[in-house]
């Protein structure tokens, strides 16, 4: 019996070591989303630039990126010029201003330009919660039917767009063609 008690700490250590070793090979930037393959969540929220109410029906009709951002987000400031460039190239981008002050969001869009065809005001963060948002920036890829097809967590810069995301977006565009 004493021998068994002496081996128990070693066995516990080995089990823990296996889990920690496995963790070395996981991608910390990859955050799984339970929303992949599901319709965009129902919502009824005002726009950032006005009091028009938007719903998930407004997202239908064409593939798009849905970018979660906030003026409080330093990484969003880095990402914003790239989103402006993508919008100029014809990429459809909808914005969700997440847990933010609307006056600050209006000032941001006036100062840094607005790449968003729709700008959704999510002051309470309920839409973000329903999407499973961890923070900002996060970008969802939706198809023309409003189904979430992919998600990217982090800053979209030119390299990330070119090497990881452009092909995914283009596949959605091609899929939507008659």
């Amino acid at each position: 019996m004493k021998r068994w008690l002496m081996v128990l700490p070693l066995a516990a250590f080995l089990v823990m070591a296996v889990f920690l070793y496995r963790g070395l090979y996981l991608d910390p930037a990859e955050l799984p989303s339970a929303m992949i393959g599901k319709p965009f969540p129902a919502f009824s929220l005002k726009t950032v630039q006005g009091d028009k109410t938007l719903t998930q029906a407004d997202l239908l009709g064409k593939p798009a990126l849905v970018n979660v951002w906030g003026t409080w987000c330093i990484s969003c400031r880095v990402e914003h010029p790239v989103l402006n460039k993508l919008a100029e190239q014809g990429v459809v981008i909808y914005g969700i201003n997440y847990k933010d002050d609307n006056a600050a969001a209006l000032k941001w869009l006036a100062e840094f330009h607005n790449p968003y065809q729709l700008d959704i005001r999510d002051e309470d963060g309920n839409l973000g919660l329903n999407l499973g948002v961890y923070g900002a920036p996060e970008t969802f890829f939706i198809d023309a039917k409003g189904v979430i097809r992919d998600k990217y967590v982090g800053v979209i810069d030119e390299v990330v767009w070119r090497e990881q995301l452009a092909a995914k977006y283009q596949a959605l565009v091609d899929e939507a063609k008659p």
Side-chain angles (χ1 to χ4, degrees), residues 116-154:
Y116 307 116
Q117 290 188 14
L118 296 174
D119 51 5
I120 302 163
R121 186 187 329 170
D122 187 21
E123 291 173 303
D124 295 330
N126 290 329
L127 178 55
L129 181 66
N130 291 339
L131 284 166
V133 168
Y134 293 93
E138 290 188 24
T139 304
F140 294 85
F141 289 67
I142 61 170
D143 65 18
K145 296 177 183 174
V147 175
I148 298 171
R149 302 288 291 277
D150 207 343
K151 174 183 174 181
Y152 181 78
V153 177

Side-chain angles (χ1 to χ4, degrees), residues 17-92:
V18 167
F19 282 110
L20 293 174
Y21 181 77
R22 183 179 177 278
L24 292 173
Y25 297 98
L26 297 176
D27 183 0
E30 188 175 314
L31 296 172
S33 175
M35 295 302 296
I36 305 295
K38 295 183 180 173
F40 203 86
F43 68 92
S44 179
L45 295 168
K46 302 275 187 209
T47 61
V48 171
Q49 298 181 327
D51 285 331
K52 179 182 177 193
T53 299
L54 299 173
T55 68
Q56 71 275 19
D58 292 301
L59 305 181
L60 303 178
K62 49 190 165 187
L65 305 179
V66 180
N67 180 253
V68 179
W69 66 282
T71 60
W72 46 265
C73 167
I74 296 168
S75 298
C76 296
R77 187 176 294 257
V78 173
E79 177 181 68
H80 203 78
V82 176
L83 296 180
N84 280 319
K85 244 186 222 183
L86 294 176
E88 288 170 10
Q89 296 169 7
V91 175
V92 177

